[in-house]
Structures are given as C-alpha cells and as structure tokens.
C-alpha cells in the first residue's frame, strides 16, 4: 500500500516537472526554427533586392 502512495506522489510531482521540461524543449525548438526562418526570409529579401 505504501508503494502505491509513493507511485501516486511520483506521478503528482513528475507530471508538472515533465510539463516544464517539455515546455522548455518546445520553446528552444521554436526559437531555433523562428531564427532559421527569419534568416531565410532576410536572405530571400536580400536576393530579391540585389
């Protein structure tokens, strides 16, 4: 019975921690993608200007 409480406690603590980790990973991925997209757009604009 004690192990069940430990498992439930682990899930309760693990869920928000996992959510935070996922949030950070997604934020980093989106940041990189946006930077890459912006650089590509700027490069395209420069090519169009020249």
């Amino acid at each position: 019975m004690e192990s069940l409480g430990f498992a439930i406690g682990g899930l309760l603590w693990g869920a928000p921690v996992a959510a935070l980790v996922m949030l950070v990973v997604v934020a980093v991925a989106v940041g990189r993608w946006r930077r890459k997209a912006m650089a590509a757009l700027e490069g395209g604009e420069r090519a169009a200007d020249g």
Side-chain angles (χ1 to χ4, degrees):
M1 207 63 199
E2 191 177 318
S3 60
L4 181 66
F6 187 76
I8 291 170
L11 282 173
L12 285 175
W13 276 104
V17 169
L20 279 173
V21 169
M22 285 293 292
L23 195 68
V24 168
V25 168
V26 168
V28 169
V30 168
R32 283 180 153 185
W33 177 81
R34 280 183 65 184
R35 205 172 302 136
K36 198 182 294 183
M38 289 291 195
L41 282 172
E42 285 179 9
E45 285 172 8
R46 285 197 201 110
D49 289 342

